[in-house]
Amino acid sequence: MTSTAVYKGDLRTELTHIESGSTIFTDAPKDNHGKGEAFSPTDLVATALGSCMLSTMGIYARQHQIDMEGARVDIIKEMASNPRRIAKINALVVMPAKPFSEKDRTALEHAAESCPVAHTLHPDVIQDIKFLWHE
């Protein structure tokens, strides 16, 4: 088993990762009857894309002794209403001001765009991925 999700009432769930025991909560968003006090389930999906991109980039970076600590992905999730679903995920990958060769930039961008979550999302979900490299 990977995880459990327990309904805590009032549109809130508690998620537990079985192997580590770590927990997070979700809350329905304000625009869908919730309080918006935690990630919504669709926030987690959109944010998982950013986390997955950084992880796959990190694998490449580790294999090639590249320091990319401090890299981040800023996520904007856009919802469609009928049916209610994620329509678009805007992801801005912001790289730290460190020297990266052109080869490494290309490889890191490819790694990000090839992450498992990117391949798992339905093709109707637009993934607008941009990179910001500080010189």
Side-chain angles (χ1 to χ4, degrees):
M1 185 168 27
T2 301
S3 59
T4 61
V6 177
Y7 185 68
K8 304 301 277 187
D10 206 20
L11 307 180
R12 182 170 281 254
T13 65
E14 180 180 16
L15 313 175
T16 303
H17 181 252
I18 298 302
E19 188 174 335
S20 69
S22 66
T23 61
I24 57 174
F25 291 89
T26 67
D27 191 17
K30 289 181 179 179
D31 69 349
N32 198 26
H33 311 282
K35 296 179 182 176
E37 294 176 342
F39 283 102
S40 73
T42 54
D43 291 342
L44 287 179
V45 171
T47 305
L49 176 62
S51 176
C52 186
M53 290 167 45
L54 288 172
S55 296
T56 56
M57 293 170 73
I59 291 167
Y60 176 87
R62 179 187 287 172
Q63 291 172 341
H64 295 88
Q65 292 78 47
I66 298 168
D67 177 12
M68 59 170 266
E69 188 172 338
R72 73 171 198 268
V73 181
D74 296 335
I75 301 290
I76 299 173
K77 173 195 72 175
E78 297 179 23
M79 297 293 290
S81 57
N82 192 14
R84 186 170 173 85
R85 65 174 186 83
I86 299 170
K88 183 177 182 182
I89 301 171
N90 298 288
L92 176 62
V93 181
V94 181
M95 296 302 290
K98 299 177 181 180
F100 295 95
S101 71
E102 193 59 39
K103 174 187 171 207
D104 289 335
R105 288 181 184 205
T106 300
L108 288 165
E109 288 182 10
H110 177 73
E113 293 167 346
S114 301
C115 84
V117 172
H119 287 295
T120 300
L121 291 171
H122 192 280
D124 288 350
V125 177
I126 299 165
Q127 298 178 47
D128 185 10
I129 301 169
K130 293 184 172 54
F131 295 86
L132 177 59
W133 296 92
H134 295 284
E135 299 299 324

